[in-house]
Amino acid sequence: MDSLGFIGLGVMGQPMALNLIKAGHRLSVFARNPAQSAPLQAAGAALLATPLAVAQVSDILFINVSDEAALEAVLFGKQGAAAGLRAGSIVVDMGTTSPTFTRQLAARLAEQALSLIDAPVSGGEAGAIAGTLAIMAGGPEAAFQRVLPLFQSIGGGIVHVGDSGAGQVAKACNQIVISAALLGVAEAFTFAARQGVDAAKVRQALLGGSAYSRILEIHGQRMLTGQFQPGFKARLHQKDLGIVQAEAQAAGLALPAAALAAQLMNALVVNGDGELDSSALIKVIQQLNGGAA
């Protein structure tokens, strides 16, 4: 059995790591915040002092950090993991970064005879806890097959999309669709309220027809109640849409729905609501129309 390491024990990383332990795998872990590692230690994981120390005892290293700068620091910064990995080891990036950065990272790791699997996820904290995350993977087929049994401990829908960066492309597509759906639901509820119609009843009606979606079901309910405890924080959605915009510009693509959603998500974050769930986007739509009905 491969020895496993896990770096990044935040809202998503901690339950994913716990599910690996529940499946019978032994983990070595590192977290900048000791409180985040406490449940892992209680479950039997070995807490090590640096990313380098984790890498030195890992055949497969999972990393789940917030952005490219954090991933760069974990791998190549002081006491970084890359220096401790043995040839033939696999790095699994569970976070969301740009396809361009991911392809460059894969090439850098290949110089050390290391494989990279980019494996961003969808499903939020609830999916991470339940072990039902959608996992979109890119990278070499042989490395993916080696990691697949581990993915099955933390996810449900697991798809090997293609070569390095393909997983990140799929995640970008996921965020395009979700942001457009969030905007549609927010506008629909705002329209209904201004027409004097109960938006909750409208949602109930739409759930039974072609407009049904998990966004309408789950995020729509959050919009109605105004309870925006994050399943996925708006500032992270903003970051992901920034990736979409940069990649689209580099490719000469016009993505008007994604561009509009990105601007509105920017407004939500600038208004001080970046720590709320991204369904709080309805607050921006309401503000544009003079406030809630």
Side-chain angles (χ1 to χ4, degrees):
M1 183 179 290
D2 286 313
S3 57
L4 307 183
F6 209 111
I7 296 173
L9 302 174
V11 170
M12 298 293 289
Q14 185 186 96
M16 286 193 281
L18 284 170
N19 282 332
L20 287 169
I21 293 175
K22 290 175 185 176
H25 302 284
R26 296 185 62 183
L27 251 64
S28 299
V29 302
F30 168 80
R32 289 179 297 178
N33 181 353
Q36 294 174 329
S37 61
L40 275 299
Q41 281 187 285
L47 176 61
L48 301 183
T50 65
L52 175 64
V54 174
Q56 288 171 333
V57 296
S58 301
D59 299 310
I60 299 176
L61 177 63
F62 289 83
I63 304 175
N64 190 69
V65 292
S66 58
D67 54 31
E68 294 170 9
L71 182 57
E72 176 81 18
V74 163
L75 283 169
F76 301 107
K78 185 178 181 181
Q79 297 290 300
L85 290 167
R86 298 178 293 272
S89 297
I90 301 173
V91 175
V92 184
D93 173 23
M94 304 295 296
T96 301
T97 56
S98 76
T100 297
F101 176 88
T102 296
R103 294 176 186 122
Q104 293 169 347
L105 179 59
R108 291 172 71 183
L109 293 174
E111 294 175 357
Q112 297 179 225
L114 303 171
S115 298
L116 174 68
I117 295 293
D118 52 295
V121 300
S122 181
E125 182 182 7
I129 293 170
T132 57
L133 291 168
I135 301 175
M136 313 160 214
E141 175 69 27
F144 171 77
Q145 291 299 330
R146 189 170 154 194
V147 177
L148 179 57
L150 305 176
F151 283 156
Q152 290 167 340
S153 299
I154 59 180
I158 304 162
V159 179
H160 184 213
V161 184
D163 294 333
S164 292
Q168 299 295 355
V169 170
K171 180 59 182 287
C173 293
N174 182 80
Q175 301 305 71
I176 292 170
V177 172
I178 287 177
S179 60
L182 284 170
L183 180 55
V185 173
E187 290 189 354
F189 287 180
T190 302
F191 177 79
R194 287 304 172 88
Q195 295 293 320
V197 175
D198 186 347
K201 293 290 183 65
V202 169
R203 172 179 170 274
Q204 183 179 353
L206 297 181
L207 285 172
S210 297
Y212 170 80
S213 70
R214 285 184 60 81
I215 297 298
L216 178 63
E217 179 182 356
I218 297 171
H219 293 80
Q221 182 63 23
R222 291 173 180 164
M223 291 181 188
L224 290 174
T225 62
Q227 299 299 313
F228 298 122
Q229 181 177 349
F232 187 71
K233 293 180 180 179
R235 65 176 176 81
L236 297 178
H237 207 142
Q238 177 197 38
K239 182 225 23 168
D240 293 353
L241 288 172
I243 290 172
V244 170
Q245 294 298 291
E247 294 285 330
Q249 183 175 5
L253 290 173
L255 302 178
L260 177 57
Q263 289 207 12
L264 295 171
M265 201 67 72
N266 288 344
L268 182 64
V269 174
V270 168
N271 286 344
D273 292 326
E275 297 300 310
L276 299 182
D277 186 82
S278 55
S279 57
L281 189 66
I282 193 171
K283 295 176 67 175
V284 177
I285 300 302
Q286 290 170 340
Q287 288 167 1
L288 288 172
N289 289 284

